[in-house]
Amino acid sequence: MSKLSGKVQTVLGLVDPDQLGRTMTHEHLTMSFECCYFPPSPGDEAVAENPFQMQHMYWLRQNQYSCHENLLLHQEVGAVREELLAYRKAGGGAIVENTTTGIERDMPTLKQLAKDTGVHIIAGAGYYVDCTHSETTRKTSVEKLTDIIISEVLHGADGTDIRCGVIGEIGTGWPITDSEKKVLKATAHAQAQLGCPVIIHPGRDPAAPAEVVRILQEAGGDIRKTVMSHLDRTIFDNGELLEFAKLGSYLEYDLFGVEMLNYSYNLSVDMPSDSQRVQALAFLVKEGYEDRIVIAHDIHTKNRLTKFGGHGYSHILKNIVPKMLRRGISQHQVDKILIDNPKEWLTFK
Ligand SMILES: CC(=O)NCCS(=O)(=O)O
């Protein structure tokens, strides 16, 4: 049995799973999303150059990916520190920081934030989507990628001795590219050796989550210990959702706070509102999946911080939990979603 077994690995070291408390399973505290810049519509260029003004706030909320500066979350460490202190005050205990190689993971800053705020921070190992893979990553074998991921968990990431406690978010698009398939296989191999949690960013197609599960399973991954992220922008039909749920992964609704008319990355998608997200949770609970649901905000742009008029990391605790209770999800079920399920997932086998 490894020394990780039965523990959760935070950036400050191993902790007893009961110490975590309420946990957001998919956030970012410092990262760059420049890789996914989406040019503004003709005529909007001037606003996009100077978006952080009251009269531009609605535009920014609707076009968060069309402004370079908005994508540089790593410039806001001070604001994030304040937010984490507020998150603790609101009853939060832990945050899974999903920034992987390709979107500027910053392990020393995560460690400092954990020290400064008392929030348990669990960092992610592995690689983001194909367009962020370096030439070296593309040429690296599955075996070598597996070794790198394992080393990020056992010894530390990015030349530090600060260790990751989860693999992911592992980025995939649609269709899944060869390089992404290689990373998925390495993820499954590493998970089989470490008994660790995994979290996946699927492509924007209803078939994408199940295809990822198939690849992981074939490579020996543990689907019961895997979170499928971003279901709110990926599977819209309740029948398809139940079909996917049967495969056994954790089901993550992680875009709480995002309400937009046009989803730049897939205009055929109608991004749900927070009310619709709560309806999806209530549906899954009614269908017996209360042990498999996890939730978060996936904050990855500046405009979503309270400093810039956004909802911040405490939105779920302050606003969504009361709404869940009003829509028939019991306090016991809320606690499962926020405390017990993340704890089970994050504990090494
Ligand atoms: C950082 C990240 O991957 N966020 C997800 C954005 S998406 O629009 O839900 O794909």
Side-chain angles (χ1 to χ4, degrees):
M1 200 205 283
S2 98
K3 75 178 171 72
L4 295 172
S5 183
K7 300 283 184 195
V8 172
Q9 183 151 269
T10 75
V11 291
L12 295 181
L14 296 176
V15 299
D16 190 87
D18 286 329
Q19 285 183 248
L20 295 183
R22 296 185 186 84
T23 302
M24 300 296 138
T25 49
H26 196 134
E27 303 295 346
H28 299 268
L29 303 175
T30 169
M31 65 169 278
S32 164
F33 208 42
E34 272 282 42
C35 59
C36 297
Y37 173 72
F38 190 87
S41 306
D44 283 356
E45 294 86 353
V47 186
E49 283 299 308
N50 198 4
F52 296 104
Q53 298 178 24
M54 193 61 107
Q55 69 267 34
H56 294 156
M57 282 302 165
Y58 183 75
W59 181 89
L60 188 58
R61 257 203 305 277
Q62 295 295 322
N63 299 278
Q64 56 178 352
Y65 302 121
S66 300
C67 162
H68 285 292
E69 203 190 325
N70 196 37
L71 306 178
L72 307 176
L73 188 64
H74 60 73
Q75 293 178 338
E76 298 298 336
V77 176
V80 168
R81 182 180 294 111
E82 292 306 310
E83 291 249 0
L84 291 181
L85 292 170
Y87 175 69
R88 273 203 75 186
K89 259 198 185 146
I95 279 183
V96 183
E97 215 285 355
N98 276 253
T99 306
T100 42
T101 299
I103 46 177
E104 299 191 24
R105 181 175 52 198
D106 179 349
M107 299 298 280
T109 296
L110 296 185
K111 184 171 178 178
Q112 192 59 48
L113 284 169
K115 275 188 183 162
D116 292 348
T117 66
V119 173
H120 296 290
I121 297 175
I122 296 101
Y127 299 83
Y128 195 56
V129 298
D130 184 285
C131 67
T132 69
H133 292 184
S134 67
E135 272 318 302
T136 314
T137 300
R138 284 177 209 289
K139 286 190 198 133
T140 306
S141 66
V142 173
E143 291 70 27
K144 180 72 187 135
L145 288 171
T146 307
D147 289 347
I148 293 170
I149 292 172
I150 289 178
S151 177
E152 289 179 349
V153 174
L154 292 185
H155 306 296
D158 306 330
T160 74
D161 61 359
I162 308 165
R163 294 165 190 165
C164 298
V166 56
I167 303 177
E169 61 183 303
I170 296 300
T172 59
W174 189 255
I176 304 170
T177 69
D178 288 345
S179 192
E180 288 168 348
K181 282 182 188 161
K182 224 169 39 161
V183 171
L184 283 174
K185 284 180 195 163
T187 295
H189 294 171
Q191 187 188 35
Q193 291 188 47
L194 294 169
C196 68
V198 162
I199 182 163
I200 301 293
H201 164 112
R204 300 176 184 97
D205 186 283
E211 178 61 5
V212 170
V213 165
R214 191 190 65 72
I215 294 169
L216 290 174
Q217 228 155 14
E218 245 180 55
D222 180 354
I223 302 310
R224 299 288 296 173
K225 228 171 164 44
T226 298
V227 167
M228 190 55 66
S229 305
H230 310 327
L231 288 179
D232 16 8
R233 55 95 165 128
T234 312
I235 299 183
F236 305 95
D237 176 81
N238 278 349
E240 284 179 39
L241 182 59
L242 290 183
E243 275 309 298
F244 178 71
K246 278 189 209 153
L247 300 180
S249 76
Y250 286 99
L251 308 165
E252 189 177 78
Y253 284 74
D254 52 28
L255 294 167
F256 275 101
V258 173
E259 306 216 345
M260 55 169 62
L261 201 53
N262 297 306
Y263 176 51
S264 316
Y265 302 141
N266 186 348
L267 291 173
S268 70
V269 159
D270 285 329
M271 183 63 86
S273 64
D274 277 354
S275 297
Q276 289 167 314
R277 290 185 180 99
V278 173
Q279 283 168 17
L281 300 185
F283 170 72
L284 285 169
V285 166
K286 182 170 74 62
E287 293 292 330
Y289 286 98
E290 65 192 47
D291 294 334
R292 305 307 295 167
I293 302 168
V294 289
I295 58 178
H297 313 89
D298 187 17
I299 291 183
H300 53 281
T301 53
K302 288 187 186 181
N303 68 299
R304 298 178 62 196
L305 300 176
T306 51
K307 172 180 173 183
F308 298 106
H311 52 80
Y313 298 92
S314 305
H315 173 56
I316 287 179
L317 297 179
K318 286 188 167 164
N319 306 315
I320 300 301
V321 167
K323 177 88 179 181
M324 288 164 77
L325 295 169
R326 277 197 294 277
R327 289 294 175 266
I329 302 175
S330 69
Q331 185 62 56
H332 179 65
Q333 289 161 334
V334 167
D335 289 346
K336 278 192 172 186
I337 292 169
L338 288 177
I339 303 171
D340 301 337
N341 299 347
K343 180 176 83 173
E344 290 286 316
W345 169 56
L346 288 166
T347 304
F348 279 68
K349 287 207 296 192

